[in-house]
Amino acid sequence: MKRRVLKGVLVALALWPAAQFALTQAWAVNPWKLFGFAMYSVPGPRVELELIGVLPDGRGMRIDRRAYSPREHRLASRFLSYRSELGFLARGDELADGVLALRPEFESVVVHTRRYWIDPETALVTSRDEHIRHGRDGRRTPFEPPDG
Amino acid sequence: METPRLERSWLDWTADPSGTSAAPHLQAFRVLILLHLCVQAWAWALRPLDHPYTFPPLAIHGCAVALTLAAAVASFGSERWGRMACLASLPIVAFELAWVFPATANHHYLSLLILGLCGLFDLRREGEDQLLLQGLRWVAVIVFFWAGAQKALHGLYFRGEFLSWAVAVGGERWAALFGWLLPGAELTRLQELPQNVGSGPWRAAGLVVPLVSNAVWVGEIVLAVGMLVVRIRVVAVLLALGLVYAIQLAPREFMFALLYTNLLLLFLPGEPNRRLLPVFALAYALLVGAVAGVPGLEGLVKQAGL
């Protein structure tokens, strides 16, 4: 029985890094994490965050990081950390809800993240952006920035 | 009369041909694992992690004390108590790892897995010592194989991209240790590159960096396979130890290096885990000292701690 358990554990250990690699490719999960043994395979993740409040007339206002409240700072730091490790699997709902709760002037908030990495083909720095608009009703919709 | 056919499974590829008892070896290994986990917990207690992974002080101090007791029980108690210490430590370590998720380091998962295996097998029962030994050796093989395979899969080793990046902007330690691999002008070019979209190429000119870079991932895969071949096992393990410490000199991830050394030593004859226990204890004590800010030891750990 214990022999079977051991074999099962070893097979899982041997197969999991392949699944972890798939997660890194599909959702930009940090290769260094999640037990895939890909430490030092790529530079550590670099992620930038931008919050844009959307007024009732549709105009967007970038929320200056220096103007974040302590709670917004905590939520943003938590989200950035999760986004760095879990890539696009990490959702910004908690951050968006916190911002909307503190800023009644906005009808929704756009969470914009940019994840950088080195492209193995060109060896140039490249990035992937995500803009998600979070409404007060909890709906999440992709947001197309005006300048494309 | 028909001779019964001996079943040889892949699990036995890491078996010890001598078949001598591995129990003393594994008891020392178990003490080292608990010592490792206890040091990790004290490191988190002494140098709290940043938000959002900061442990409640009472919780992490409680974990550290409990794991210290477990390590003491495994060191001085009977075989039965040593195994119990592993089993009792499992929920504590699982709590710690869950708390720091998703930033959990791979060596934390690895130590939890190893702890579970040490708790599963009773070294007093016939054959279970060999089974545990084979399992732990397989863990070492799988980790080393994937460390190499992942470097190839991510594609930043074939032309030395990762190494170029690390030496140029990965921090002073990388530049100090591996800067000599790059021609001076090339190092300056890479260091002056901006890190915005389109910057690069992050490839050093010349052959040295690609050669060293490819030697790393190929070496990891070849040595992992070599550990399965009895005839070359000792050489493969010694070379693997050399490679691990060569890689770790710059980033100073000594917690991983010590854990992995403990695993690799299981392949070697002469019960090195047991013989080197005082050396490991000293190394762990130095790491705790470094985290606690003892003057002169800061250089042993990363700025963030262990």
Short mmCIF file of all heavy atoms in Angstrom, two decimals, chain B residues 17-82:
data_model
loop_
_atom_site.label_atom_id
_atom_site.label_comp_id
_atom_site.label_asym_id
_atom_site.label_seq_id
_atom_site.Cartn_x
_atom_site.Cartn_y
_atom_site.Cartn_z
N PRO B 17 22.16 -1.11 -4.16
CA PRO B 17 22.44 -2.51 -4.48
C PRO B 17 22.95 -3.29 -3.26
O PRO B 17 22.72 -4.48 -3.15
CB PRO B 17 23.54 -2.43 -5.54
CG PRO B 17 23.57 -1.04 -6.01
CD PRO B 17 23.00 -0.18 -4.94
N SER B 18 23.60 -2.60 -2.32
CA SER B 18 24.14 -3.31 -1.16
C SER B 18 23.02 -3.82 -0.26
O SER B 18 23.18 -4.83 0.44
CB SER B 18 25.05 -2.38 -0.36
OG SER B 18 24.28 -1.37 0.26
N GLY B 19 21.90 -3.13 -0.26
CA GLY B 19 20.74 -3.57 0.53
C GLY B 19 20.93 -3.42 2.03
O GLY B 19 20.13 -3.92 2.81
N THR B 20 21.98 -2.71 2.45
CA THR B 20 22.19 -2.51 3.90
C THR B 20 21.13 -1.55 4.45
O THR B 20 20.57 -0.75 3.70
CB THR B 20 23.59 -1.93 4.19
OG1 THR B 20 23.74 -0.78 3.35
CG2 THR B 20 24.69 -2.93 3.91
N SER B 21 20.92 -1.63 5.75
CA SER B 21 19.88 -0.81 6.36
C SER B 21 20.18 0.68 6.16
O SER B 21 21.30 1.14 6.37
CB SER B 21 19.80 -1.11 7.86
OG SER B 21 18.99 -0.13 8.47
N ALA B 22 19.14 1.39 5.76
CA ALA B 22 19.30 2.82 5.54
C ALA B 22 18.76 3.61 6.72
O ALA B 22 18.75 4.84 6.70
CB ALA B 22 18.58 3.22 4.27
N ALA B 23 18.31 2.89 7.76
CA ALA B 23 17.62 3.57 8.85
C ALA B 23 18.46 4.67 9.53
O ALA B 23 17.97 5.78 9.72
CB ALA B 23 17.12 2.55 9.86
N PRO B 24 19.74 4.40 9.88
CA PRO B 24 20.50 5.46 10.56
C PRO B 24 20.67 6.70 9.68
O PRO B 24 20.57 7.84 10.14
CB PRO B 24 21.87 4.81 10.82
CG PRO B 24 21.66 3.35 10.68
CD PRO B 24 20.53 3.17 9.73
N HIS B 25 20.89 6.42 8.40
CA HIS B 25 21.01 7.47 7.39
C HIS B 25 19.74 8.34 7.38
O HIS B 25 19.78 9.57 7.40
CB HIS B 25 21.11 6.74 6.04
CG HIS B 25 21.92 7.45 5.02
ND1 HIS B 25 22.29 6.87 3.86
CD2 HIS B 25 22.43 8.68 4.98
CE1 HIS B 25 22.98 7.72 3.14
NE2 HIS B 25 23.08 8.82 3.81
N LEU B 26 18.61 7.66 7.35
CA LEU B 26 17.33 8.35 7.21
C LEU B 26 16.91 9.05 8.50
O LEU B 26 16.22 10.08 8.45
CB LEU B 26 16.24 7.36 6.77
CG LEU B 26 16.44 6.83 5.35
CD1 LEU B 26 15.56 5.63 5.08
CD2 LEU B 26 16.15 7.94 4.34
N GLN B 27 17.32 8.50 9.63
CA GLN B 27 17.01 9.19 10.89
C GLN B 27 17.72 10.55 10.91
O GLN B 27 17.14 11.55 11.32
CB GLN B 27 17.45 8.34 12.08
CG GLN B 27 16.45 7.24 12.39
CD GLN B 27 17.02 6.14 13.26
OE1 GLN B 27 18.23 6.09 13.52
NE2 GLN B 27 16.16 5.26 13.72
N ALA B 28 18.96 10.57 10.45
CA ALA B 28 19.71 11.83 10.39
C ALA B 28 19.06 12.78 9.38
O ALA B 28 18.92 13.98 9.63
CB ALA B 28 21.16 11.56 10.01
N PHE B 29 18.63 12.20 8.26
CA PHE B 29 17.96 13.00 7.23
C PHE B 29 16.71 13.67 7.82
O PHE B 29 16.45 14.85 7.60
CB PHE B 29 17.58 12.10 6.06
CG PHE B 29 16.85 12.80 4.96
CD1 PHE B 29 17.54 13.44 3.94
CD2 PHE B 29 15.47 12.87 4.95
CE1 PHE B 29 16.87 14.11 2.93
CE2 PHE B 29 14.78 13.54 3.95
CZ PHE B 29 15.49 14.16 2.94
N ARG B 30 15.96 12.89 8.59
CA ARG B 30 14.71 13.39 9.17
C ARG B 30 15.00 14.53 10.16
O ARG B 30 14.28 15.54 10.17
CB ARG B 30 14.03 12.22 9.89
CG ARG B 30 12.60 12.41 10.17
CD ARG B 30 11.95 11.11 10.58
NE ARG B 30 12.66 10.45 11.67
CZ ARG B 30 12.44 9.20 12.04
NH1 ARG B 30 11.56 8.47 11.41
NH2 ARG B 30 13.11 8.67 13.04
N VAL B 31 16.03 14.37 10.95
CA VAL B 31 16.41 15.44 11.89
C VAL B 31 16.74 16.71 11.10
O VAL B 31 16.32 17.81 11.46
CB VAL B 31 17.62 15.01 12.75
CG1 VAL B 31 18.18 16.20 13.54
CG2 VAL B 31 17.23 13.88 13.69
N LEU B 32 17.45 16.54 9.99
CA LEU B 32 17.86 17.70 9.20
C LEU B 32 16.66 18.40 8.57
O LEU B 32 16.65 19.62 8.47
CB LEU B 32 18.86 17.27 8.13
CG LEU B 32 20.27 17.02 8.66
CD1 LEU B 32 21.15 16.39 7.59
CD2 LEU B 32 20.89 18.33 9.13
N ILE B 33 15.68 17.62 8.15
CA ILE B 33 14.49 18.24 7.56
C ILE B 33 13.76 19.07 8.62
O ILE B 33 13.35 20.22 8.37
CB ILE B 33 13.53 17.15 7.00
CG1 ILE B 33 14.06 16.65 5.68
CG2 ILE B 33 12.11 17.66 6.82
CD1 ILE B 33 14.13 17.73 4.61
N LEU B 34 13.62 18.51 9.81
CA LEU B 34 12.93 19.25 10.87
C LEU B 34 13.74 20.48 11.28
O LEU B 34 13.17 21.54 11.56
CB LEU B 34 12.65 18.33 12.05
CG LEU B 34 11.52 17.33 11.76
CD1 LEU B 34 11.51 16.21 12.79
CD2 LEU B 34 10.15 18.03 11.75
N LEU B 35 15.06 20.33 11.29
CA LEU B 35 15.92 21.48 11.60
C LEU B 35 15.74 22.57 10.54
O LEU B 35 15.62 23.76 10.86
CB LEU B 35 17.38 20.99 11.63
CG LEU B 35 18.44 21.97 12.12
CD1 LEU B 35 18.18 22.38 13.55
CD2 LEU B 35 19.82 21.32 12.02
N HIS B 36 15.68 22.14 9.30
CA HIS B 36 15.48 23.07 8.17
C HIS B 36 14.17 23.86 8.36
O HIS B 36 14.14 25.08 8.23
CB HIS B 36 15.43 22.24 6.88
CG HIS B 36 15.18 23.03 5.65
ND1 HIS B 36 16.19 23.52 4.85
CD2 HIS B 36 14.02 23.43 5.06
CE1 HIS B 36 15.66 24.17 3.84
NE2 HIS B 36 14.35 24.13 3.95
N LEU B 37 13.11 23.13 8.68
CA LEU B 37 11.80 23.77 8.82
C LEU B 37 11.76 24.68 10.04
O LEU B 37 11.11 25.73 10.03
CB LEU B 37 10.71 22.70 8.91
CG LEU B 37 10.50 21.96 7.59
CD1 LEU B 37 9.74 20.66 7.80
CD2 LEU B 37 9.76 22.85 6.60
N CYS B 38 12.45 24.27 11.07
CA CYS B 38 12.48 25.08 12.28
C CYS B 38 13.25 26.39 12.01
O CYS B 38 12.82 27.47 12.41
CB CYS B 38 13.10 24.22 13.38
SG CYS B 38 14.18 24.95 14.53
N VAL B 39 14.35 26.29 11.26
CA VAL B 39 15.13 27.49 10.91
C VAL B 39 14.30 28.43 10.02
O VAL B 39 14.29 29.65 10.20
CB VAL B 39 16.45 27.08 10.19
CG1 VAL B 39 17.12 28.26 9.52
CG2 VAL B 39 17.39 26.44 11.20
N GLN B 40 13.56 27.83 9.08
CA GLN B 40 12.71 28.66 8.22
C GLN B 40 11.67 29.43 9.04
O GLN B 40 11.43 30.62 8.82
CB GLN B 40 12.01 27.76 7.19
CG GLN B 40 11.11 28.51 6.22
CD GLN B 40 11.86 29.46 5.32
OE1 GLN B 40 12.54 29.04 4.42
NE2 GLN B 40 11.78 30.76 5.60
N ALA B 41 11.06 28.74 9.98
CA ALA B 41 10.04 29.40 10.81
C ALA B 41 10.66 30.51 11.66
O ALA B 41 10.08 31.60 11.78
CB ALA B 41 9.34 28.36 11.70
N TRP B 42 11.83 30.24 12.23
CA TRP B 42 12.49 31.29 13.03
C TRP B 42 12.87 32.48 12.15
O TRP B 42 12.83 33.62 12.59
CB TRP B 42 13.71 30.74 13.77
CG TRP B 42 13.33 30.01 15.02
CD1 TRP B 42 13.46 28.68 15.28
CD2 TRP B 42 12.70 30.57 16.19
NE1 TRP B 42 12.96 28.37 16.52
CE2 TRP B 42 12.49 29.52 17.10
CE3 TRP B 42 12.29 31.85 16.54
CZ2 TRP B 42 11.89 29.71 18.35
CZ3 TRP B 42 11.70 32.04 17.78
CH2 TRP B 42 11.50 30.98 18.68
N ALA B 43 13.26 32.18 10.91
CA ALA B 43 13.62 33.28 9.99
C ALA B 43 12.40 34.17 9.74
O ALA B 43 12.50 35.40 9.75
CB ALA B 43 14.14 32.71 8.68
N TRP B 44 11.24 33.55 9.56
CA TRP B 44 10.02 34.35 9.34
C TRP B 44 9.62 35.10 10.61
O TRP B 44 9.04 36.17 10.54
CB TRP B 44 8.87 33.42 8.90
CG TRP B 44 8.93 33.04 7.46
CD1 TRP B 44 9.44 33.78 6.43
CD2 TRP B 44 8.45 31.83 6.87
NE1 TRP B 44 9.31 33.10 5.24
CE2 TRP B 44 8.71 31.91 5.47
CE3 TRP B 44 7.82 30.70 7.36
CZ2 TRP B 44 8.35 30.89 4.59
CZ3 TRP B 44 7.47 29.69 6.48
CH2 TRP B 44 7.74 29.78 5.11
N ALA B 45 9.94 34.51 11.75
CA ALA B 45 9.60 35.18 13.01
C ALA B 45 10.54 36.36 13.26
O ALA B 45 10.11 37.42 13.73
CB ALA B 45 9.69 34.18 14.17
N LEU B 46 11.83 36.17 12.92
CA LEU B 46 12.82 37.22 13.21
C LEU B 46 12.78 38.35 12.19
O LEU B 46 13.04 39.50 12.53
CB LEU B 46 14.22 36.61 13.21
CG LEU B 46 14.54 35.67 14.37
CD1 LEU B 46 15.82 34.89 14.10
CD2 LEU B 46 14.66 36.46 15.67
N ARG B 47 12.50 38.00 10.95
CA ARG B 47 12.44 39.03 9.90
C ARG B 47 11.11 38.89 9.17
O ARG B 47 11.02 38.16 8.17
CB ARG B 47 13.61 38.89 8.93
CG ARG B 47 13.79 40.12 8.06
CD ARG B 47 14.89 39.96 7.05
NE ARG B 47 16.22 39.92 7.64
CZ ARG B 47 17.35 39.94 6.91
NH1 ARG B 47 17.30 40.00 5.61
NH2 ARG B 47 18.52 39.89 7.49
N PRO B 48 10.08 39.58 9.66
CA PRO B 48 8.74 39.38 9.09
C PRO B 48 8.70 39.66 7.59
O PRO B 48 9.37 40.56 7.08
CB PRO B 48 7.88 40.40 9.84
CG PRO B 48 8.61 40.64 11.12
CD PRO B 48 10.07 40.52 10.78
N LEU B 49 7.91 38.86 6.90
CA LEU B 49 7.73 39.04 5.46
C LEU B 49 6.92 40.31 5.21
O LEU B 49 6.17 40.77 6.06
CB LEU B 49 6.98 37.83 4.88
CG LEU B 49 7.70 36.49 4.92
CD1 LEU B 49 6.74 35.36 4.58
CD2 LEU B 49 8.87 36.50 3.96
N ASP B 50 7.08 40.85 4.00
CA ASP B 50 6.32 42.04 3.63
C ASP B 50 4.84 41.70 3.45
O ASP B 50 4.48 40.55 3.22
CB ASP B 50 6.86 42.62 2.32
CG ASP B 50 8.25 43.22 2.50
OD1 ASP B 50 8.58 43.59 3.64
OD2 ASP B 50 9.00 43.28 1.51
N HIS B 51 4.01 42.76 3.50
CA HIS B 51 2.59 42.63 3.17
C HIS B 51 2.48 42.07 1.74
O HIS B 51 3.26 42.48 0.89
CB HIS B 51 1.93 44.01 3.25
CG HIS B 51 0.51 44.02 2.82
ND1 HIS B 51 -0.51 43.59 3.63
CD2 HIS B 51 -0.07 44.38 1.64
CE1 HIS B 51 -1.66 43.69 2.97
NE2 HIS B 51 -1.42 44.16 1.77
N PRO B 52 1.62 41.16 1.39
CA PRO B 52 0.52 40.63 2.20
C PRO B 52 0.84 39.30 2.88
O PRO B 52 -0.09 38.58 3.23
CB PRO B 52 -0.57 40.44 1.14
CG PRO B 52 0.19 40.04 -0.09
CD PRO B 52 1.51 40.77 -0.03
N TYR B 53 2.12 38.99 3.04
CA TYR B 53 2.46 37.67 3.56
C TYR B 53 2.93 37.70 5.02
O TYR B 53 3.45 36.71 5.52
CB TYR B 53 3.54 37.03 2.67
CG TYR B 53 3.13 36.99 1.21
CD1 TYR B 53 3.79 37.75 0.25
CD2 TYR B 53 2.05 36.21 0.81
CE1 TYR B 53 3.39 37.73 -1.08
CE2 TYR B 53 1.65 36.18 -0.51
CZ TYR B 53 2.32 36.93 -1.45
OH TYR B 53 1.92 36.92 -2.77
N THR B 54 2.79 38.85 5.67
CA THR B 54 3.25 38.97 7.05
C THR B 54 2.45 38.04 7.96
O THR B 54 1.22 38.12 8.01
CB THR B 54 3.08 40.42 7.54
OG1 THR B 54 3.44 41.30 6.49
CG2 THR B 54 3.93 40.69 8.77
N PHE B 55 3.15 37.17 8.67
CA PHE B 55 2.47 36.26 9.61
C PHE B 55 2.03 37.03 10.85
O PHE B 55 2.74 37.96 11.28
CB PHE B 55 3.44 35.18 10.09
CG PHE B 55 3.69 34.09 9.11
CD1 PHE B 55 4.82 34.10 8.30
CD2 PHE B 55 2.83 33.00 9.01
CE1 PHE B 55 5.07 33.08 7.41
CE2 PHE B 55 3.07 31.98 8.11
CZ PHE B 55 4.20 32.01 7.31
N PRO B 56 0.91 36.63 11.46
CA PRO B 56 0.62 37.17 12.79
C PRO B 56 1.77 36.74 13.72
O PRO B 56 2.14 35.56 13.73
CB PRO B 56 -0.69 36.47 13.18
CG PRO B 56 -1.25 35.93 11.91
CD PRO B 56 -0.09 35.68 10.99
N PRO B 57 2.36 37.68 14.48
CA PRO B 57 3.57 37.35 15.27
C PRO B 57 3.37 36.14 16.18
O PRO B 57 4.25 35.27 16.26
CB PRO B 57 3.82 38.63 16.08
CG PRO B 57 3.18 39.70 15.30
CD PRO B 57 2.01 39.11 14.60
N LEU B 58 2.22 36.07 16.83
CA LEU B 58 2.00 34.96 17.76
C LEU B 58 2.00 33.63 17.02
O LEU B 58 2.57 32.64 17.48
CB LEU B 58 0.66 35.17 18.49
CG LEU B 58 0.44 34.29 19.71
CD1 LEU B 58 1.48 34.58 20.78
CD2 LEU B 58 -0.98 34.52 20.28
N ALA B 59 1.37 33.62 15.84
CA ALA B 59 1.26 32.38 15.06
C ALA B 59 2.64 31.89 14.61
O ALA B 59 2.97 30.71 14.77
CB ALA B 59 0.36 32.60 13.85
N ILE B 60 3.45 32.79 14.07
CA ILE B 60 4.74 32.31 13.52
C ILE B 60 5.71 31.97 14.66
O ILE B 60 6.50 31.03 14.53
CB ILE B 60 5.35 33.33 12.52
CG1 ILE B 60 6.48 32.68 11.75
CG2 ILE B 60 5.79 34.61 13.17
CD1 ILE B 60 6.11 31.44 10.96
N HIS B 61 5.63 32.70 15.79
CA HIS B 61 6.47 32.31 16.93
C HIS B 61 6.04 30.96 17.47
O HIS B 61 6.88 30.12 17.83
CB HIS B 61 6.43 33.38 18.02
CG HIS B 61 7.34 34.54 17.74
ND1 HIS B 61 6.94 35.62 16.96
CD2 HIS B 61 8.62 34.78 18.07
CE1 HIS B 61 7.94 36.47 16.85
NE2 HIS B 61 8.98 35.99 17.52
N GLY B 62 4.73 30.71 17.47
CA GLY B 62 4.21 29.40 17.91
C GLY B 62 4.70 28.29 17.00
O GLY B 62 5.14 27.22 17.46
N CYS B 63 4.64 28.55 15.69
CA CYS B 63 5.13 27.55 14.71
C CYS B 63 6.62 27.27 14.95
O CYS B 63 7.05 26.12 14.94
CB CYS B 63 4.96 28.07 13.28
SG CYS B 63 3.25 28.15 12.73
N ALA B 64 7.38 28.34 15.15
CA ALA B 64 8.83 28.18 15.32
C ALA B 64 9.14 27.36 16.58
O ALA B 64 9.99 26.46 16.54
CB ALA B 64 9.50 29.56 15.40
N VAL B 65 8.43 27.64 17.66
CA VAL B 65 8.68 26.89 18.90
C VAL B 65 8.27 25.42 18.71
O VAL B 65 9.01 24.50 19.09
CB VAL B 65 7.89 27.53 20.08
CG1 VAL B 65 7.92 26.63 21.31
CG2 VAL B 65 8.48 28.90 20.40
N ALA B 66 7.11 25.20 18.08
CA ALA B 66 6.64 23.83 17.88
C ALA B 66 7.60 23.04 17.00
O ALA B 66 7.90 21.88 17.29
CB ALA B 66 5.24 23.86 17.25
N LEU B 67 8.11 23.67 15.94
CA LEU B 67 9.04 22.96 15.04
C LEU B 67 10.39 22.73 15.71
O LEU B 67 11.06 21.73 15.45
CB LEU B 67 9.20 23.73 13.72
CG LEU B 67 7.94 23.69 12.84
CD1 LEU B 67 8.05 24.69 11.69
CD2 LEU B 67 7.71 22.29 12.29
N THR B 68 10.77 23.64 16.61
CA THR B 68 12.01 23.43 17.37
C THR B 68 11.85 22.21 18.27
O THR B 68 12.76 21.37 18.37
CB THR B 68 12.34 24.68 18.22
OG1 THR B 68 12.35 25.81 17.36
CG2 THR B 68 13.68 24.54 18.91
N LEU B 69 10.69 22.11 18.92
CA LEU B 69 10.44 20.94 19.77
C LEU B 69 10.46 19.66 18.94
O LEU B 69 11.01 18.64 19.36
CB LEU B 69 9.08 21.09 20.47
CG LEU B 69 9.04 22.07 21.64
CD1 LEU B 69 7.61 22.25 22.14
CD2 LEU B 69 9.94 21.58 22.77
N ALA B 70 9.82 19.73 17.75
CA ALA B 70 9.78 18.55 16.88
C ALA B 70 11.20 18.13 16.48
O ALA B 70 11.53 16.94 16.49
CB ALA B 70 8.95 18.85 15.63
N ALA B 71 12.04 19.11 16.15
CA ALA B 71 13.42 18.79 15.77
C ALA B 71 14.16 18.17 16.96
O ALA B 71 14.95 17.23 16.80
CB ALA B 71 14.14 20.05 15.28
N ALA B 72 13.90 18.68 18.16
CA ALA B 72 14.56 18.14 19.36
C ALA B 72 14.09 16.71 19.62
O ALA B 72 14.91 15.83 19.93
CB ALA B 72 14.25 19.03 20.56
N VAL B 73 12.79 16.47 19.46
CA VAL B 73 12.25 15.12 19.68
C VAL B 73 12.87 14.15 18.67
O VAL B 73 13.28 13.04 19.02
CB VAL B 73 10.71 15.13 19.56
CG1 VAL B 73 10.15 13.73 19.44
CG2 VAL B 73 10.10 15.84 20.76
N ALA B 74 12.95 14.57 17.41
CA ALA B 74 13.54 13.69 16.37
C ALA B 74 15.02 13.45 16.64
O ALA B 74 15.55 12.38 16.33
CB ALA B 74 13.34 14.31 14.99
N SER B 75 15.69 14.44 17.24
CA SER B 75 17.13 14.29 17.49
C SER B 75 17.40 13.34 18.65
O SER B 75 18.32 12.53 18.58
CB SER B 75 17.76 15.65 17.84
OG SER B 75 17.53 16.56 16.82
N PHE B 76 16.61 13.49 19.69
CA PHE B 76 16.96 12.76 20.92
C PHE B 76 15.98 11.66 21.28
O PHE B 76 16.25 10.86 22.18
CB PHE B 76 17.09 13.76 22.09
CG PHE B 76 18.08 14.85 21.81
CD1 PHE B 76 17.66 16.17 21.62
CD2 PHE B 76 19.43 14.56 21.70
CE1 PHE B 76 18.57 17.18 21.34
CE2 PHE B 76 20.35 15.57 21.42
CZ PHE B 76 19.92 16.88 21.23
N GLY B 77 14.82 11.61 20.60
CA GLY B 77 13.82 10.60 20.94
C GLY B 77 14.04 9.31 20.17
O GLY B 77 14.98 9.17 19.38
N SER B 78 13.17 8.35 20.41
CA SER B 78 13.27 7.05 19.73
C SER B 78 12.80 7.20 18.28
O SER B 78 12.28 8.25 17.87
CB SER B 78 12.39 6.03 20.45
OG SER B 78 11.04 6.44 20.32
N GLU B 79 12.93 6.11 17.52
CA GLU B 79 12.50 6.09 16.13
C GLU B 79 11.01 6.44 16.03
O GLU B 79 10.59 7.24 15.19
CB GLU B 79 12.80 4.70 15.55
CG GLU B 79 11.98 4.28 14.35
CD GLU B 79 12.05 5.26 13.20
OE1 GLU B 79 13.05 5.95 13.06
OE2 GLU B 79 11.03 5.34 12.46
N ARG B 80 10.22 5.84 16.93
CA ARG B 80 8.77 6.08 16.90
C ARG B 80 8.47 7.57 17.09
O ARG B 80 7.65 8.16 16.39
CB ARG B 80 8.13 5.24 18.00
CG ARG B 80 6.64 5.41 18.10
CD ARG B 80 6.04 4.34 19.00
NE ARG B 80 4.63 4.60 19.23
CZ ARG B 80 4.17 5.26 20.29
NH1 ARG B 80 4.99 5.69 21.21
NH2 ARG B 80 2.86 5.48 20.42
N TRP B 81 9.18 8.17 18.06
CA TRP B 81 8.93 9.59 18.33
C TRP B 81 9.42 10.48 17.19
O TRP B 81 8.85 11.53 16.93
CB TRP B 81 9.60 9.98 19.65
CG TRP B 81 8.77 9.54 20.82
CD1 TRP B 81 8.99 8.45 21.61
CD2 TRP B 81 7.56 10.14 21.29
NE1 TRP B 81 8.00 8.34 22.54
CE2 TRP B 81 7.11 9.36 22.38
CE3 TRP B 81 6.83 11.25 20.89
CZ2 TRP B 81 5.94 9.67 23.07
CZ3 TRP B 81 5.67 11.56 21.59
CH2 TRP B 81 5.24 10.78 22.65
N GLY B 82 10.47 10.04 16.52
CA GLY B 82 10.97 10.81 15.38
C GLY B 82 9.93 10.88 14.27
O GLY B 82 9.69 11.94 13.67
#
